[in-house]
Amino acid sequence: MVTSKEVMELTSAYGANNYHPLPVVVAEAEGVWVKDPEGNKYMDMLSAYSAVNQGHRHPKIIQALKDQADKVTLTSRAFHNELLGPWTERLAKLTNKDKVLPMNTGAEAVETAIKAARRWAYEKKDVDANQAEIIAAKGNFHGRTMNAISLSNDLDATTNYGPFVPGIYKINYGDIQALKETITPNTAAIIIEPIQGEAGILIPPEGYLQEVRKICDEENILFIADEVQTGFARTGKMFACEWENVEPDIYVMGKALGGGVLPISAIAANKAVMDVFTPGSHGSTFGGNPLACAVSMAALDVIEEEELVDKSLELGEYFAIELSAISHPDLKEVRARGLFIGVEFTKPVRPICEALKENGILCKETHETTIRFAPPLVITKEELDWALDKIKKVLQAN
Ligand code: PMP
C-alpha cells in the first residue's frame, strides 16, 4: 500500500510547487467524510473551496456521470450535443437571465465576463477602442489567469507576473464613495464577490449590493457578480446576491455547478449583453461538454431535491450561534451566511487548524487569522454537533 508520506514525496518531487496548508492525502471520500491511505477518517470542512456542496461522490451525480459516459462524453462546440440545450435553459431560468455561456473553470468564467463587458462597452456604450475600464474590489479572489490576477491586489498572486491587463481600477470592498469616485465615462463594469470568500468570508455592509446595483443603473455600467464560491446554496440562498434582493447583469458561476465531480462553469446574462459574442468570437473546446452537462444537471437536482438552500441557512445559523457562544480570549468575530462561516481570531490560526486535523476535522485558514468552516451542505445536525464538540475541545487547549 502506498503511504501518505510516499504520495507527498512523489508529488513534491515531480509536481510544481503548490499550496498545501495541511499535509493530508485524501484517498477516499463520501458525503462529508474523507479518508487518507492509512484509513484515518476526517470531516471535510473545506469542501474543495465550496465545490463539493452536494457532498463527496453524491450517488445521483455519480450515476449521471456513469450513464452519460456510456453514451457520448465530448463533441467540442463544433457539433451540438443533446444536453447543452436543457442545461442552458435550466441555468437561464435559475438565474432569471436570457442566456448562458458554458466554460470549465471559475477563472475562465471570470475571463468570459470581463470580455463580455468590454465588448458591450464598445458596441453598446460607445466607449472608444481599447479604453474600457473595469472596477474591482481589493481583497478579491477571481482566479489565476492574467485577467483574474490583474484584478487582484494580493502580493502572493501577482508578484513578478506583470505586465498586467490595463484598464483595471481597484477600490475598497464595501466603499460606495470610492466606487462613485472611480467611475468614468469609460467604465464598462464592476466585478465583485457578493461575499468575499478567500478574503476571509467578508460580508459587505448592509445595503452595499443594492447601492452598487443602483449606481450601475444610473451610470450604465454592468454589475458582474462572481458567485463562483458563493453560488449554489453555499450561503443559505441559491445565489448570495439574493441576500440583498439584487440581480446582477452577469452571474459568474463555477465550482458546485459541477457537484464536486467535474469542472464546469458559466456566465448568465440577458441578450443585450450576451449577444455581443458572435460565432467564433469566444469559446472553449470542453465548455458545455455532454459529460459535464449531465453531471451538472444532477448536481442541480440534488440542490433542489435535498433542499440544500434551506439546509445551509438553518444549519449555518445554528452553527454560527454555537461558535459565537464559545468563550476564547483570542476569538474576535464569527461571520456567517449559511454554511459559509469565517471565525476570526486575533492571532494566526494555523496551530488551531493543525489541532483540528489531529481531532478529525479538515479545515484551513483564509489569510492568517480566520478559519473558514464550509462543510458539504449535505451535513446533518448530528455531524455538525460532533464537529462542534471537537472544535470546543481544541479551542480550550489552544
Ligand atoms: N472566483 C471566486 C470567487 C473563487 O472563489 C474562485 C476559486 N476559489 C475562482 C473565481 C476561481 O475558480 P477556479 O479555481 O475554478 O478557476
Side-chain angles (χ1 to χ4, degrees):
M1 184 200 76
V2 64
T3 64
S4 289
K5 190 165 171 282
E6 286 163 349
V7 171
M8 289 187 272
E9 278 171 5
L10 193 63
T11 307
S12 61
Y14 289 99
N17 292 331
N18 207 330
Y19 173 61
H20 296 291
L22 294 178
V24 183
V25 175
V26 175
E28 284 174 49
E30 187 175 355
V32 298
W33 301 99
V34 302
K35 259 192 208 167
D36 69 11
E38 288 76 20
N40 298 308
K41 194 173 162 188
Y42 302 95
M43 179 182 281
D44 179 3
M45 280 275 185
L46 181 62
S47 308
Y49 302 92
S50 298
V52 191
N53 290 358
Q54 297 87 341
H56 288 278
R57 294 194 308 111
H58 192 289
K60 179 161 189 163
I61 306 176
I62 296 298
Q63 193 58 51
L65 176 80
K66 288 179 176 166
D67 291 347
Q68 188 57 39
D70 283 337
K71 292 182 190 158
V72 55
T73 57
L74 184 63
T75 59
S76 84
R77 294 300 302 277
F79 307 113
H80 289 275
N81 75 65
E82 289 173 323
L83 283 108
L84 189 56
W87 179 78
T88 48
E89 180 188 26
R90 184 163 184 183
L91 212 47
K93 289 191 171 151
L94 192 66
T95 52
N96 196 28
K97 294 290 175 207
D98 298 334
K99 292 199 164 202
V100 168
L101 195 167
M103 299 301 288
N104 307 284
T105 63
E108 264 186 324
V110 167
E111 293 283 320
T112 303
I114 301 286
K115 286 174 77 176
R118 289 218 163 108
R119 271 208 165 197
W120 173 85
Y122 301 128
E123 294 174 13
K124 307 274 170 92
K125 203 182 158 174
D126 284 335
V127 171
D128 288 342
N130 296 322
Q131 298 301 311
E133 294 168 6
I134 306 286
I135 299 175
K138 288 181 192 165
N140 72 64
F141 188 90
H142 294 298
R144 300 294 198 183
T145 54
M146 276 314 295
N147 236 325
I149 64 164
S150 298
L151 298 165
S152 170
N153 66 318
D154 176 359
L155 282 181
D156 285 340
T158 53
T159 298
N160 287 344
Y161 289 128
F164 296 101
V165 177
I168 289 170
Y169 296 86
K170 297 162 201 175
I171 57 173
N172 284 334
Y173 188 59
D175 187 341
I176 284 295
Q177 194 52 32
L179 173 60
K180 286 184 181 159
E181 285 163 13
T182 310
I183 290 169
T184 76
N186 291 334
T187 306
I190 171 165
I191 177 165
I192 44 173
E193 297 156 85
I195 295 172
Q196 283 194 329
E198 296 310 307
I201 321 293
L202 297 187
I203 302 166
E206 214 186 314
Y208 177 64
L209 301 177
Q210 288 258 359
E211 273 296 305
V212 172
R213 177 68 276 174
K214 197 168 138 243
I215 292 168
C216 286
D217 288 340
E218 285 165 5
E219 305 278 351
N220 194 22
I221 292 166
L222 298 179
F223 181 167
I224 305 173
D226 182 345
E227 294 258 15
V228 168
Q229 185 155 184
T230 50
F232 304 107
R234 171 51 62 191
T235 72
K237 305 275 182 193
M238 185 58 86
F239 296 106
C241 280
E242 291 168 38
W243 279 101
E244 290 200 20
N245 291 318
V246 156
E247 286 196 21
D249 297 295
I250 305 181
Y251 281 96
V252 184
M253 299 165 280
K255 294 195 191 244
L257 183 57
V261 173
L262 284 180
I264 182 162
S265 67
I267 69 163
N270 281 339
K271 277 185 190 154
V273 174
M274 200 70 101
D275 285 351
V276 300
F277 289 125
T278 47
S281 64
H282 187 64
S284 158
T285 303
F286 289 93
N289 71 74
L291 197 58
C293 285
V295 160
S296 181
M297 280 291 216
L300 293 170
D301 285 344
V302 170
I303 293 174
E304 275 176 28
E305 289 164 9
E306 302 193 12
E307 298 177 348
L308 295 188
V309 173
D310 292 344
K311 226 179 140 193
S312 173
L313 190 66
E314 281 157 27
L315 288 181
E317 264 172 24
Y318 169 70
F319 197 30
I321 288 169
E322 293 290 316
L323 289 170
S324 304
I326 297 175
S327 140
H328 188 280
D330 305 310
L331 198 158
K332 191 174 156 197
E333 190 181 35
V334 176
R335 295 183 288 271
R337 284 274 192 267
L339 282 167
F340 200 41
I341 300 177
V343 184
E344 186 171 347
F345 290 76
T346 52
K347 62 177 186 184
V349 293
R350 178 63 66 87
I352 299 176
C353 293
E354 273 162 20
L356 284 170
K357 184 200 143 207
E358 294 313 310
N359 281 271
I361 294 178
L362 292 185
C363 62
K364 72 173 275 294
E365 68 271 32
T366 62
H367 293 281
E368 267 206 319
T369 53
T370 301
I371 305 178
R372 163 182 18 204
F373 291 114
L377 306 178
V378 293
I379 195 165
T380 62
K381 171 140 186 315
E382 292 65 40
E383 286 167 331
L384 261 190
D385 283 335
W386 177 89
L388 271 169
D389 269 355
K390 301 281 179 190
I391 293 167
K392 283 178 192 164
K393 186 177 143 205
V394 164
L395 286 180
Q396 262 167 20
N398 285 272

